[in-house]
Amino acid sequence: MNKFKGFYLLAALTIVISGCGKAQSTTTSKTTYTPTLEVAYVVKDDTVTLDLTTDLKISKEHYDQQRVEGEGHFHISLDKGEKIVVTTKQKVLDHLSKGSHEVKISLHNNDHTPYDVSKTVTFDVK
């Protein structure tokens, strides 16, 4: 009789430890804000003026601070060079050499984490 009690006890513990039935998981879908970005530019002599349009709130006052969804700034890179942080919707790049140039504009949170939204434009300085 004790052998059966031990067997039943072991079986009961195995069921409790392994769990009864399927484990249910509840996942909540967190909406992720994806801002828009449009870039227009005008080349005049050795200068390009970039006009940046976005629904992202460009926040000078929160730059380099805590991430706030829907706020941030631009990172601009000329010819795959060092990034320039921009907190205005217009940027002038001047004293450019003659030839073809590439500018990449990307959107970033206040804390510099990317929104994974970018545009690249190419133009020629004559």
Side-chain angles (χ1 to χ4, degrees):
M1 200 68 159
N2 282 338
K3 288 182 183 180
F4 289 114
K5 283 183 184 178
F7 175 75
Y8 288 121
L9 181 60
L10 181 61
L13 282 173
T14 301
I15 291 171
V16 168
I17 291 172
S18 65
C20 296
K22 288 184 178 179
Q24 293 183 358
S25 65
T26 56
T27 57
T28 56
S29 62
K30 182 180 176 186
T31 58
T32 307
Y33 172 70
T34 303
T36 61
L37 175 61
E38 295 299 324
V39 179
Y41 63 92
V42 175
V43 179
K44 183 176 180 189
D45 299 323
D46 65 349
T47 300
V48 65
T49 302
L50 302 169
D51 288 309
L52 312 170
T53 305
T54 182
D55 59 353
L56 181 71
K57 178 184 177 196
I58 303 304
S59 177
K60 291 180 186 180
E61 61 276 1
H62 296 146
Y63 167 76
D64 215 16
Q65 294 181 16
Q66 183 177 358
R67 179 180 178 158
V68 175
E69 187 172 291
E71 273 188 13
H73 57 274
F74 303 98
H75 285 187
I76 296 177
S77 175
L78 173 65
D79 297 328
K80 299 182 181 177
E82 194 171 326
K83 72 178 178 192
I84 303 166
V85 175
V86 176
T87 56
T88 60
K89 290 191 176 184
Q90 187 177 71
K91 179 64 179 170
V92 175
L93 302 173
D94 53 6
H95 307 294
L96 300 174
S97 62
K98 290 183 179 182
S100 182
H101 294 279
E102 177 182 272
V103 175
K104 180 178 180 183
I105 303 98
S106 54
L107 297 176
H108 293 259
N109 288 286
N110 297 331
D111 65 358
H112 299 282
T113 56
Y115 275 106
D116 294 325
V117 174
S118 66
K119 296 276 184 177
T120 301
V121 296
T122 57
F123 57 90
D124 290 320
V125 173
K126 306 223 181 226

